[in-house]
Amino acid sequence: MTGTRIAGGLLAVAALTAATACTAASDQPAHAKTPAAAVTSKHPTETVKPLLHQALPNVRGKTFTSMVVDFPPSARAMPHRHGKAFVYAYVLEGTVRSRLAGTPVRTYRQGGNWVERPGAHHVLTENTSRTERAKLLVVYVSNTGDKLKVDDPRP
């Protein structure tokens, strides 16, 4: 029940963030504006559009960040971690297949959502469609200054 309340609260904050994104663009650090690097692969990769990057005024040392992650048809993200960040993801459009280490593969459609605990290893994130885009709203609560995504080293 508490997890549902947290996720619902984060969704409400994320919706507010999306609505105010245009006014907050100047508060973003330069590194937050850089799209994800292309991966040498037969699959395209995701791109990232930052919405808001804001220190939490009532939680010292923590930052709230939101972004839209766009997956072109057949795109996959590299396996990665989000450090010590708490992550909430909401499917804005399309269908995404996702798997955290130690859990089964799950498929999320528009309106679907999940959370990732700090330190989780995200081993699969992909757009299941060969013809349609998929987009996620991703919200992070992280330690101020921490990297939000660190891809696994390539084999």
Side-chain angles (χ1 to χ4, degrees):
M1 185 70 157
T2 301
T4 302
R5 287 183 187 155
I6 291 170
L10 284 174
L11 180 57
V13 171
L16 177 61
T17 299
T20 60
C22 293
T23 61
S26 62
D27 293 337
Q28 299 167 25
H31 72 274
K33 296 179 183 177
T34 305
V39 176
T40 305
S41 166
K42 63 181 180 176
H43 295 279
T45 189
E46 79 278 17
T47 57
V48 175
K49 178 185 175 188
L51 298 175
L52 179 70
H53 184 78
Q54 177 72 46
L56 293 174
N58 59 341
V59 185
R60 185 179 173 150
K62 296 291 182 180
T63 297
F64 174 94
T65 304
S66 63
M67 58 186 62
V68 173
V69 182
D70 185 357
F71 289 87
S74 300
R76 289 186 184 167
M78 291 285 296
H80 60 275
R81 297 175 193 269
H82 297 288
K84 296 178 182 176
F86 175 82
V87 180
Y88 173 75
Y90 179 86
V91 182
L92 296 168
E93 65 182 74
T95 303
V96 175
R97 188 175 301 128
S98 178
R99 181 171 165 279
L100 301 176
T103 67
V105 173
R106 303 246 350 233
T107 301
Y108 300 92
R109 290 169 178 69
Q110 184 176 15
N113 62 88
W114 70 90
V115 296
E116 298 177 29
R117 294 180 174 268
H121 187 200
H122 205 153
V123 296
L124 173 69
T125 317
E126 66 182 356
N127 180 352
T128 62
S129 176
R130 293 182 181 189
T131 59
E132 303 294 324
R133 303 188 90 70
K135 290 185 181 182
L136 301 174
L137 172 66
V138 181
V139 176
Y140 303 86
V141 177
S142 63
N143 292 329
T144 300
D146 281 2
K147 280 188 149 187
L148 295 179
K149 181 180 179 235
V150 178
D151 289 337
D152 288 1
R154 294 188 188 147

